[in-house]
Amino acid sequence: MFDDFEDNSIFTAEQVLENRGRVAIFIDGSNLFYAALQLGIEIDYTKLLYRLTGGSRLLRAFFYTGVDRSNEKQQGFLLWMRRNGYRVIAKDLVQLPDGSKKANLDVEIAVDLMALVGAYDTAVIVSGDGDLAYAADAVSYRGARIEVVSLRSMTSDSLINVADRYIDLDQIKEDIQKNPKPNLSSYNSYSGVGLLDQNKQR
């Protein structure tokens, strides 16, 4: 009875995009980095911003990440991000008793989602973390549309369930990956530096 339910969309893709209004983008850097590893791609952050904005009016694009202040390569990448359309929210990595390092930015993402309600019409959450579901749901009740972009295998059902639209990164990877350039390097190559010690999707 419900076999074809997901294929019967009420609105066309064009109609969905027309209704996005002002867009605010919230990117969980660690979550995106691990998703890219799973997909075997390297993210081109210029292409990513273009794809997520989708021709709509961009209010702001936030990039949340844990940082190692002594890592010059990562600092260079974050400087590039700041100068190319992203508002970077960085938090120092904290070393845990087991030797691993972690920087949890769920609270920062949730607070910004709530604080900017009314300034944006559509929130694009690039994360699969179920801890964001409550904030996303609260924002939706304030009138904002919620779009979740993440790798399905790393995404909590609770977050998908509160979204108006879900996009699997696997479906758009061709649009957001870097083109391989042998013997050349760029700041984008360091997007994951300092993130490897952070916990994977909870």
Side-chain angles (χ1 to χ4, degrees), residues 19 36 42 44 54 64 68 75 97 109 117 120-121 123 143 179 190 193:
N19 294 328
E42 191 172 342
D44 182 319
Y64 302 83
D68 177 356
Q75 293 302 312
I109 297 174
V117 170
Y120 62 80
D121 300 299
N179 297 323
Y190 309 125
V193 178

Side-chain angles (χ1 to χ4, degrees), residues 106 109-111 113-114 117 120 125 128-142 146 148 156-163:
D106 293 344
I109 297 174
V111 168
L113 269 169
M114 297 296 297
V117 170
Y120 62 80
I125 302 172
D129 196 334
D131 290 342
L132 296 173
Y134 188 83
D137 196 35
V139 164
S140 71
Y141 277 100
R142 297 284 299 275
I146 302 296
V148 172
S156 167
D157 286 340
S158 62
L159 187 57
I160 294 177
N161 291 342
V162 299

Side-chain angles (χ1 to χ4, degrees), residues 60-177:
R60 187 159 290 157
F62 296 94
F63 183 81
Y64 302 83
T65 185
V67 295
D68 177 356
R69 302 290 177 182
S70 65
N71 190 319
E72 292 184 6
K73 290 181 178 180
Q74 189 190 37
Q75 293 302 312
F77 164 71
L78 295 180
L79 179 61
W80 183 92
M81 292 287 280
R82 290 185 178 100
R83 293 179 175 178
N84 287 273
Y86 291 90
R87 175 69 59 90
V88 176
I89 292 86
K91 192 174 186 178
D92 289 342
L93 292 169
V94 177
Q95 185 158 346
L96 303 177
D98 63 1
S100 64
K101 294 181 179 180
K102 179 181 179 181
N104 192 330
L105 286 103
D106 293 344
V107 172
E108 286 79 358
I109 297 174
V111 168
D112 288 345
L113 269 169
M114 297 296 297
L116 288 171
V117 170
Y120 62 80
D121 300 299
T122 298
V124 180
I125 302 172
V126 184
S127 177
D129 196 334
D131 290 342
L132 296 173
Y134 188 83
D137 196 35
V139 164
S140 71
Y141 277 100
R142 297 284 299 275
R145 282 176 41 82
I146 302 296
E147 295 182 7
V148 172
V149 181
S150 57
L151 187 60
R152 184 63 186 92
S153 62
M154 294 174 56
T155 307
S156 167
D157 286 340
S158 62
L159 187 57
I160 294 177
N161 291 342
V162 299
D164 296 289
R165 184 185 187 206
Y166 173 71
I167 300 171
D168 189 339
L169 280 170
D170 189 42
Q171 302 299 315
I172 63 169
K173 64 182 180 181
E174 303 296 331
D175 299 332
I176 63 173
Q177 67 180 340

Side-chain angles (χ1 to χ4, degrees), residues 6-31:
E6 292 184 356
D7 296 327
N8 297 328
S9 178
I10 298 173
F11 302 104
T12 65
E14 291 75 17
Q15 288 173 321
V16 170
L17 292 176
E18 284 175 2
N19 294 328
R20 296 177 86 211
R22 296 164 299 175
V23 173
I25 300 170
F26 305 85
I27 301 173
D28 179 337
S30 177
N31 193 278

